[in-house]
Amino acid sequence: MRKEFNLLGLMLLLCFWVCAVTASVTYDHKTIVIDGQRRILISGSIHYPRSTPEMWPALFQKAKEGGLDVIQTYVFWNGHEPSPGKYYFEDRFDLVKFIKLAQQAGLYVHLRIGPYVCAEWNFGGFPVWLKYVPGISFRTDNEPFKAAMQKFTTKIVSMMKAENLFQNQGGPIIMSQIENEYGPVEWNIGAPGKAYTNWAAQMAVGLDTGVPWDMCKQEDAPDPVIDTCNGYYCENFTPNKNYKPKMWTENWSGWYTDFGNAICYRPVEDLAYSVARFIQNRGSFVNYYMYHGGTNFGRTSSGLFIATSYDYDAPIDEYGLTNEPKWSHLRDLHKAIKQCEPALVSVDPTITSLGNKLEAHVYSTGTSVCAAFLANYDTKSAATVTFGNGKYDLPPWSVSILPDCKTDVFNTAKVGAQSSQKTMISTNSTFDWQSYIEEPAFSSEDDSITAEALWEQINVTRDSSDYLWYLTDVNISPNEDFIKNGQYPILNVMSAGHVLHVFVNGQLSGTVYGVLDNPKLTFSNSVNLTVGNNKISLLSVAVGLPNVGLHFETWNVGVLGPVTLKGLNEGTRDLSWQKWSYKVGLKGESLSLHTITGGSSVDWTQGSLLAKKQPLTWYKATFNAPAGNDPLGLDMSSMGKGEIWVNDQSIGRHWPGYIAHGSCGDCDYAGTFTNTKCRTNCGNPTQTWYHIPRSWLNPTGNVLVVLEEWGGDPSGISLLKRI
Ligand code: GAL
């Protein structure tokens, strides 16, 4: 026994020593090198807070079966540090669990710490409190910003090290990213940008993770940081040093959706073609952004107008089901690439022309190791090419892969996989609705926040709510001509965005909202004023904070003015500088009507008294979970705009009242793809269905709460299964 133990101990010690010596990630001019092996790696983005921990194992399994080697995720600072020094790593933000589950599924991890992440995520991932650190300026050579960034980055790296998650510790993390697409910003701001880039690289490298760092879209990434490419195509990208590998950190599998726009899809023929072209041109790492997009739960989606669904036309859809034929076709592509790996990592390609817009890229060691890629770049004509002793048919805009330089095992445009369209079908769940109408706020004597000025919204709310009331009074004399002639004055309100509901004396006078490219809006309408005191209540609504753009932290939201009243005897009265009161959030929010316990604080009505088509209305119903495990979604098409909760969890903002604009014609896979080339859903609500994760439901008695701003009919809401 003792002897056996000794032997085992010795073996363990030996293994520990050998493993510790060999476990390493480095790189050379061809690839990332893991434990001394060059690797061609296929990666996919899955962002942990955009799904639930219960969904992660199945997502990873589908990723593994789909031929992925690596899971890429950002780290979401504002989710982890909601207030300074108070950290949160539970539930959907359990980063360590996410990484460990990826490892258990046999996957590596690429950790994009940022901590600026862009990602259509609220404020690009920055906590809103960061904006109020004295003297701060984001993403530049600014001491308060660098101190905060270093603190958070160090926190994450230490956490990963403590859990042994870097590859050289036996963990799955093979690479980390610092910053995100900083190159274009640096180009704009010049010297301080350059200094910041150098600082960020040095700071990151100094953290001694034992695995390489990358900076994406950063042509001047300082050594040893690898600069990488993002885009729909990256075959012509070259890293900034000839000893760095050619890597693609974001190959956009579709595009994000924003309320008011049609939904983008990217044909898999083109996506596969982009990957094959990259690999045939010495590319060694491809990441699908996104492989599973998921859902922007709660208020996590960014401005401007990013939808709750972050499906992205990714190979795994928002609900966790495979998106066919995309998932299967890419799986077959990955298999073919993997068969070529021995040749790809060994030599550089020889490129020969096979005719007009026709090429062969051959990786041959001169021995039996040989892989070839035959490409047809023409967008219209198919071609038959002669290569070696064979003839090969190449559809337009396609690449064929020959892992032994003879057998065509895969062509990017020949999609064998079934295109089974996923759909939503009815469940038998019914809702017995109750309603509570919230009165618009009014100014009053004892208002605590007042000013003779119009204030920027986020400075007041600190983003604790989407909603801010701007309240004021207007006195109308009995001598006003409009009292006699009925030509009511025009109220003009200029707002920096994103949505505005105007109430006059408690009545909704109108709603206006911005669009993606221009969140600014103007309300201009005649208003029903009466003699004496009139109550003007402006409800300004933010739909997420911006995540991208030069110094986006300085962008304004809310009613910045002017606010004027035109058509009085005096002409135009400027209300901008009179007394305004401010109220943050809705009354229902302060009463926590969205929670199970808070719901009992008001009297709800039901049956024939149920409110319909009323602005600012809260709805509540209980329901049982439908049998089975199919993913679930709510059809919200009868509603306007607001937010939805199930059992106290926010499933996100709904806005089916925003109809998708854009043109949705036919779309040919061949030819350069852009995010406006292939679109669906024009003329319909941008987003009708809202994902409810199964794990948030109990078998019976689930509480569904809907806050409706515009006015809707809850009897039209239904629970659907995705199959
Ligand atoms: C990239 C950015 C990502 C994401 C993407 C669009 O430029 O790096 O974070 O925002 O655009 O989905």
Side-chain angles (χ1 to χ4, degrees):
M1 179 70 189
R2 206 188 142 84
K3 201 167 156 198
E4 268 172 33
F5 174 81
N6 279 345
L7 202 66
L8 194 72
L10 197 71
M11 278 167 66
L12 276 175
L13 204 73
L14 199 71
C15 168
F16 182 76
W17 182 76
V18 171
C19 299
V21 168
T22 54
S24 65
V25 187
T26 55
Y27 64 80
D28 64 15
H29 72 290
K30 285 203 77 72
T31 72
I32 286 280
V33 179
I34 303 179
D35 296 343
Q37 298 278 312
R38 283 183 179 156
R39 295 296 311 276
I40 302 293
L41 294 172
I42 310 289
S43 171
S45 292
I46 301 181
H47 296 156
Y48 49 98
R50 288 179 156 143
S51 50
T52 60
E54 291 78 8
M55 291 169 71
W56 296 342
L59 293 176
F60 290 147
Q61 195 188 334
K62 288 191 177 100
K64 185 76 187 168
E65 285 165 12
L68 258 54
D69 305 296
V70 184
I71 297 296
Q72 185 201 75
T73 184
Y74 283 125
V75 175
F76 297 88
W77 186 358
N78 52 13
H80 293 305
E81 199 178 353
S83 55
K86 298 251 172 343
Y87 293 101
Y88 180 77
F89 287 92
E90 308 292 316
D91 197 35
R92 287 185 293 119
F93 289 90
D94 194 341
L95 175 59
V96 167
K97 181 175 188 173
F98 181 81
I99 295 175
K100 287 186 174 170
L101 285 170
Q103 185 174 26
Q104 276 167 33
L107 293 156
Y108 292 122
V109 171
H110 173 208
L111 193 66
R112 304 174 94 190
I113 301 178
Y116 167 70
V117 298
C118 195
E120 293 69 70
W121 189 262
N122 200 35
F123 221 32
F126 289 139
V128 174
W129 55 258
L130 193 65
K131 174 174 167 160
Y132 299 98
V133 169
I136 207 156
S137 182
F138 286 7
R139 303 181 75 207
T140 185
D141 191 18
N142 168 275
E143 294 308 322
F145 178 77
K146 289 190 298 184
M149 171 165 165
Q150 179 160 8
K151 188 166 168 223
F152 182 72
T153 309
T154 308
K155 162 108 191 154
I156 294 298
V157 167
S158 316
M159 204 169 162
M160 299 300 110
K161 281 187 186 171
E163 299 281 346
N164 292 324
L165 293 177
F166 287 106
Q167 195 273 349
N168 57 345
Q169 302 175 292
I173 304 173
I174 52 163
M175 187 165 74
S176 296
Q177 181 178 302
I178 194 76
E179 250 294 340
N180 190 77
E181 296 194 333
Y182 190 68
V185 179
E186 183 185 313
W187 192 79
N188 259 288
I189 69 173
K194 181 91 188 158
Y196 168 70
T197 297
N198 289 332
W199 168 83
Q202 238 176 45
M203 185 271 286
V205 171
L207 293 174
D208 207 13
T209 59
V211 302
W213 287 92
D214 75 284
M215 283 177 145
C216 62
K217 258 203 194 168
Q218 179 89 48
E219 280 174 22
D220 61 350
D223 281 359
V225 177
I226 307 166
D227 59 319
T228 64
C229 184
N230 291 348
Y232 283 116
Y233 307 94
C234 278
E235 63 270 8
N236 295 326
F237 170 80
T238 42
N240 62 15
K241 296 282 166 52
N242 59 13
Y243 45 81
K244 294 181 184 176
K246 174 169 168 175
M247 303 178 77
W248 191 356
T249 33
E250 291 181 28
N251 180 354
W252 301 316
S253 52
W255 199 240
Y256 59 81
T257 302
D258 43 81
F259 289 123
N261 251 329
I263 296 176
C264 165
Y265 65 93
R266 185 176 186 190
V268 70
E269 295 91 332
D270 179 66
L271 182 56
Y273 173 76
S274 72
V275 173
R277 284 195 67 171
F278 182 71
I279 299 289
Q280 73 173 10
N281 258 358
R282 300 183 169 89
S284 66
F285 177 104
V286 179
N287 175 72
Y288 297 100
Y289 186 101
M290 302 295 297
Y291 194 72
H292 163 75
T295 309
N296 293 314
F297 296 114
R299 298 172 53 245
T300 59
S301 69
S302 67
L304 307 166
F305 305 100
I306 299 299
T308 296
S309 168
Y310 199 66
D311 181 82
Y312 224 93
D313 194 27
I316 303 178
D317 75 11
E318 179 181 3
Y319 294 81
L321 305 180
T322 53
N323 172 13
E324 298 293 10
K326 202 170 244 187
W327 182 87
S328 296
H329 191 56
L330 295 178
R331 176 204 52 202
D332 297 345
L333 165 70
H334 304 152
K335 250 187 230 162
I337 292 173
K338 277 293 141 77
Q339 286 176 264
C340 303
E341 191 175 13
L344 293 171
V345 299
S346 303
V347 281
D348 285 336
T350 311
I351 303 165
T352 48
S353 170
L354 300 176
N356 186 24
K357 298 190 181 162
L358 298 165
E359 266 176 9
H361 292 230
V362 181
Y363 290 78
S364 169
T365 59
T367 59
S368 58
V369 178
C370 184
F373 293 73
L374 308 182
N376 178 5
Y377 306 131
D378 199 288
T379 57
K380 296 273 176 286
S381 322
T384 301
V385 295
T386 306
F387 175 73
N389 296 328
K391 285 201 181 311
Y392 301 87
D393 292 328
L394 301 176
W397 200 253
S398 81
V399 176
S400 275
I401 302 181
L402 288 56
D404 59 357
C405 284
K406 290 191 195 88
T407 330
D408 174 357
V409 300
F410 182 88
N411 177 278
T412 55
K414 295 179 187 165
V415 181
Q418 289 294 311
S419 106
S420 68
Q421 271 286 307
K422 295 285 184 297
T423 174
M424 304 293 280
I425 62 158
S426 159
T427 65
N428 294 327
S429 301
T430 51
F431 303 113
D432 197 8
W433 290 104
Q434 304 183 332
S435 61
Y436 168 78
I437 300 178
E438 172 163 342
E439 293 295 317
F442 294 122
S443 66
S444 85
E445 287 296 296
D446 37 68
D447 285 337
S448 55
I449 318 174
T450 63
E452 281 173 12
L454 290 164
W455 279 346
E456 196 279 333
Q457 181 159 342
I458 304 307
N459 287 342
V460 187
T461 64
R462 300 279 164 120
D463 200 35
S464 61
S465 166
D466 280 5
Y467 302 98
L468 179 65
W469 287 104
Y470 292 73
L471 309 166
T472 198
D473 290 359
V474 169
N475 220 331
I476 295 297
S477 123
N479 304 329
E480 286 292 345
D481 290 346
F482 79 84
I483 303 290
K484 281 159 255 151
N485 66 22
Q487 285 190 343
Y488 284 98
I490 309 278
L491 178 66
N492 270 297
V493 183
M494 307 283 281
S495 164
H498 306 136
V499 178
L500 183 71
H501 304 290
V502 176
F503 294 86
V504 175
N505 297 325
Q507 294 301 310
L508 183 64
S509 199
T511 290
V512 277
Y513 47 97
V515 292
L516 175 72
D517 302 333
N518 184 13
K520 291 199 171 75
L521 50 95
T522 307
F523 173 87
S524 187
N525 222 342
S526 64
V527 284
N528 223 333
L529 299 176
T530 56
V531 173
N533 190 30
N534 291 269
K535 297 286 183 192
I536 309 286
S537 311
L538 308 178
L539 181 59
S540 178
V541 192
V543 190
L545 303 187
N547 65 301
V548 64
L550 271 187
H551 283 295
F552 63 80
E553 79 271 23
T554 60
W555 296 9
N556 293 326
V557 187
V559 181
L560 301 180
V563 178
T564 60
L565 205 50
K566 207 165 114 190
L568 300 173
N569 291 359
E570 71 204 73
T572 299
R573 194 187 293 179
D574 189 351
L575 310 181
S576 315
W577 301 102
Q578 64 176 45
K579 183 176 164 199
W580 289 86
S581 317
Y582 295 88
K583 283 205 173 104
V584 175
L586 299 178
K587 182 177 161 204
E589 289 182 295
S590 62
L591 295 173
S592 296
L593 292 190
H594 61 283
T595 66
I596 295 169
T597 48
S600 54
S601 55
V602 296
D603 289 329
W604 299 78
T605 55
Q606 53 191 320
S608 60
L609 294 176
L610 186 77
K612 284 187 185 166
K613 305 274 170 211
Q614 294 287 325
L616 290 191
T617 305
W618 295 79
Y619 293 101
K620 185 168 83 160
T622 50
F623 68 100
N624 297 336
N629 288 321
D630 298 315
L632 301 172
L634 280 180
D635 181 338
M636 296 294 290
S637 49
S638 67
M639 305 303 280
K641 177 183 182 304
E643 192 171 340
I644 313 165
W645 295 263
V646 174
N647 295 337
D648 295 5
Q649 300 260 24
S650 171
I651 70 169
R653 299 184 180 99
H654 69 272
W655 198 350
Y658 212 150
I659 301 302
H661 302 293
S663 62
C664 293
D666 283 347
C667 158
D668 183 358
Y669 79 85
T672 304
F673 185 78
T674 66
N675 60 17
T676 52
K677 184 178 171 189
C678 306
R679 304 218 251 184
T680 68
N681 215 33
C682 294
N684 297 319
T686 294
Q687 188 177 349
T688 303
W689 301 321
Y690 296 80
H691 178 210
I692 303 180
R694 272 274 177 185
S695 60
W696 290 0
L697 295 186
N698 305 314
T700 57
N702 299 291
V703 178
L704 171 62
V705 178
V706 176
L707 161 63
E708 175 56 45
E709 280 170 32
W710 284 17
D713 179 358
S715 56
I717 298 177
S718 62
L719 186 62
L720 306 175
K721 288 199 275 196
R722 184 152 183 97
I723 54 161

